[in-house]
Amino acid sequence: MSRATSHLRRNWGKYLFLSSVISIGGYFGNRRYKDDQIMRRLSREAFAFQDKRHRVAEPLEKVFVLFNPSAGRGKARKLFHRFAAPILYLAGSDVTIIEL
């Protein structure tokens, strides 16, 4: 038996743990990459919408965002500012943020 094979047989748990960590990290990295690609596409669409002329009598949309800081894991504010806020601001919406 070769040295590498015997080493693998003795430390199979470590290799299993390492392969699990690498595959989970790859999954989350891939998911984040896809989210960023979607955000880029939506930002381009919102930016194009901003450049269109609006009628003078047509008011811009008003958006009210409510945050409850004690709910869940507290990631709502961070996710809103990362994903939703840029699109709303580029679209020309009037955004009001309220924390409860």
Side-chain angles (χ1 to χ4, degrees), residues 3-47:
R3 226 173 139 180
T5 307
S6 64
H7 186 6
L8 181 63
R9 288 184 68 189
R10 280 193 313 260
N11 299 308
W12 64 271
K14 293 177 184 177
Y15 286 107
L16 181 65
F17 176 74
L18 180 64
S19 64
S20 301
V21 168
I22 290 172
S23 65
I24 290 171
Y27 169 77
F28 283 111
N30 187 28
R31 192 173 88 181
R32 181 157 183 158
Y33 174 75
K34 287 180 180 179
D35 288 345
D36 288 343
Q37 292 298 319
I38 290 170
M39 284 301 300
R40 283 193 184 116
R41 183 177 54 82
L42 292 175
S43 295
R44 276 188 235 118
E45 290 176 13
F47 192 70

Side-chain angles (χ1 to χ4, degrees), residues 47-58:
F47 192 70
F49 177 76
Q50 180 186 15
D51 290 340
K52 291 182 182 177
R53 290 182 170 238
H54 297 285
R55 284 186 257 147
V56 175
E58 180 182 335

Side-chain angles (χ1 to χ4, degrees), residues 64-69 96-100:
F64 291 95
V65 180
L66 300 173
F67 288 122
N68 183 1
T96 304
I97 299 173
I98 302 170
E99 286 196 32
L100 302 175

Side-chain angles (χ1 to χ4, degrees), residues 59-79:
L60 294 176
E61 292 184 23
K62 292 184 179 184
V63 178
F64 291 95
V65 180
L66 300 173
F67 288 122
N68 183 1
S70 62
R73 293 183 283 174
K75 294 174 77 176
R77 183 182 312 110
K78 183 174 114 179
L79 291 174

